[in-house]
Amino acid sequence: MLRFQRTIKKEILFNGIGLHTGKQVMMILKPAPMDTGIVLVRTDLGCAEINAAAANTAATSYSTTLSRDGVSVQTVEHLLAAFGGLGIDNVRVEIDSEEVPIMDGSAGPFVRSLADAGIQTQENIQPVVKILKPVFVREGNKQIAIWPSEKPSISYFIDFNHPMLREQSLHAPCSEDGFLREIADARTFGFLSDADVLRANGLAKGVSMDNAVVLGEETVLNKEGLRYTDEFVRHKILDLIGDLSLTGMPIIGHIVAHKSGHGLNAQMVSKLLNSPQNWIVLGSPEGEKEPAREVQYQHHAAIS
Ligand SMILES: [Zn+2]
């Protein structure tokens, strides 16, 4: 169950646009020392640093935003999912804008570049959170539960009011191979009918069919169609992996989610960290211990 911490062997450069800002952005991933975690660095703002941690979760409408001392980076979830899915713990993410580039709307371009750069094993053990008693959050008809399990896995169920989105479910074991094969290439999706409202609210300025699955009244409008028949539930799992990585440690448990979005995912991280009686940390140098308490999380409306 336990493994050594990992970083990347060399720098990786990405150029792309922000999904919501539409701005061009350059992002460089750099190897980082043990026990650093994932650190976002705004090179356009005096190299201000934001740790990818629950306490820095600032907004969760349409994407997950991390913020510290008034400096933010939004749409971090697919990049964090790539790190979480491949078991990469320590990376310095230098970025010259306020949004992670969307690439093709999935985590595929990130994971392939990370795999090409090579993964460097480090000397310290990566601690994990092992669930002992179920942790549960609910908001309306959306729920997430994490149950004790020796092997980490995710079960996800969606049922939205659209012909393409009715009753999709998937059980995905949390393994690097499984993530690469089953989850990483699933793209973000949205409804054409929402486009005007999103743009009127300053969102989705960079959205195109090159970086999102666009749904019309009945069908997918992208010419190339879907990458998986159930690409939507797979993308929801991808988002969940990215958002739950803000716990700061891999979770050993069975995660069961129904229609959750970034807001509820963030609530689960907060609930988990504030329920230390429900888990133990394995692999910590000080032995079993509790992670940081008193998580300050500003909850915003949850819209997937
Ligand atoms: Zn997403």
Side-chain angles (χ1 to χ4, degrees):
M1 185 192 296
L2 292 173
R3 59 166 175 76
F4 290 104
Q5 292 181 28
R6 310 205 296 180
T7 186
I8 48 178
K9 282 190 171 158
K10 59 183 183 187
E11 294 183 11
I12 309 169
L13 170 69
F14 294 97
N15 282 297
I17 61 164
L19 185 72
H20 291 299
T21 60
K23 288 183 186 171
Q24 278 289 334
V25 48
M26 184 173 78
M27 181 174 79
I28 305 171
L29 309 186
K30 296 185 172 179
M34 292 181 290
D35 302 313
T36 303
I38 307 299
V39 181
L40 296 138
V41 182
R42 283 286 300 269
T43 54
D44 58 328
L45 292 177
C47 289
E49 297 189 355
I50 311 164
N51 297 312
N56 293 332
T57 303
T60 52
S61 293
Y62 295 100
S63 70
T64 296
T65 298
L66 297 173
S67 186
R68 185 177 168 204
D69 298 334
V71 176
S72 301
V73 177
Q74 71 183 98
T75 318
V76 296
E77 57 270 19
H78 304 162
L79 180 65
L80 294 182
F83 295 143
L86 295 184
I88 298 172
D89 312 294
N90 304 307
V91 182
R92 181 178 170 88
V93 179
E94 295 187 351
I95 188 162
D96 69 350
S97 184
E98 68 263 43
E99 188 172 19
V100 171
I102 190 64
M103 310 312 288
D104 71 351
S106 77
F110 297 138
V111 297
R112 275 185 280 283
S113 296
L114 289 164
D116 287 348
I119 294 173
Q120 178 67 53
T121 298
Q122 297 171 294
E123 287 175 21
N124 284 0
I125 295 285
Q126 173 59 47
V128 298
V129 176
K130 182 172 167 54
I131 303 298
L132 301 177
K133 288 190 279 186
V135 182
F136 182 70
V137 288
R138 177 169 55 196
E139 186 178 79
N141 63 356
K142 307 170 180 182
Q143 300 105 28
I144 311 173
I146 311 183
W147 292 83
S149 172
E150 289 304 311
K151 290 190 177 169
S153 66
I154 299 177
S155 297
Y156 208 116
F157 181 73
I158 57 171
D159 184 20
F160 290 105
N161 186 23
H162 187 281
M164 302 293 290
L165 293 171
R166 295 221 173 93
E167 297 199 3
Q168 287 189 9
S169 62
L170 188 71
H171 176 70
C174 296
S175 68
E176 287 166 40
D177 280 356
F179 180 76
L180 280 166
R181 212 174 41 242
E182 309 285 347
I183 305 298
D185 286 310
R187 292 164 295 171
T188 193
F189 59 93
F191 302 94
L192 188 64
S193 56
D194 290 345
D196 289 343
V197 175
L198 286 167
R199 293 207 170 108
N201 285 292
L203 294 164
K205 291 178 184 167
V207 173
S208 76
M209 290 197 210
D210 291 333
N211 58 33
V213 177
V214 180
L215 289 153
E217 298 264 306
E218 300 277 327
T219 58
V220 167
L221 301 180
N222 304 55
K223 268 197 204 122
E224 74 280 12
L226 293 172
R227 293 178 174 176
Y228 314 89
T229 53
D230 57 355
E231 186 167 357
F232 308 103
V233 71
R234 290 171 193 257
H235 187 79
K236 298 296 275 183
I237 292 176
L238 193 160
D239 280 342
L240 187 62
I241 291 170
D243 288 341
L244 291 192
S245 75
L246 293 169
T247 301
M249 287 173 272
I251 298 167
I252 308 300
H254 179 200
I255 300 159
V256 182
H258 174 225
K259 296 178 77 166
S260 78
H262 299 300
L264 194 64
N265 297 347
Q267 281 189 53
M268 171 49 93
V269 172
S270 179
K271 176 91 179 270
L272 181 62
L273 291 174
N274 287 299
S275 308
Q277 68 280 7
N278 291 31
W279 44 258
I280 53 169
V281 174
L282 304 177
S284 163
E286 299 97 56
E288 292 177 9
K289 70 163 188 180
E290 299 170 3
R293 305 278 290 279
E294 304 297 325
V295 174
Q296 307 215 332
Y297 164 62
Q298 309 151 30
H299 176 57
H300 292 244
I303 307 167
S304 68

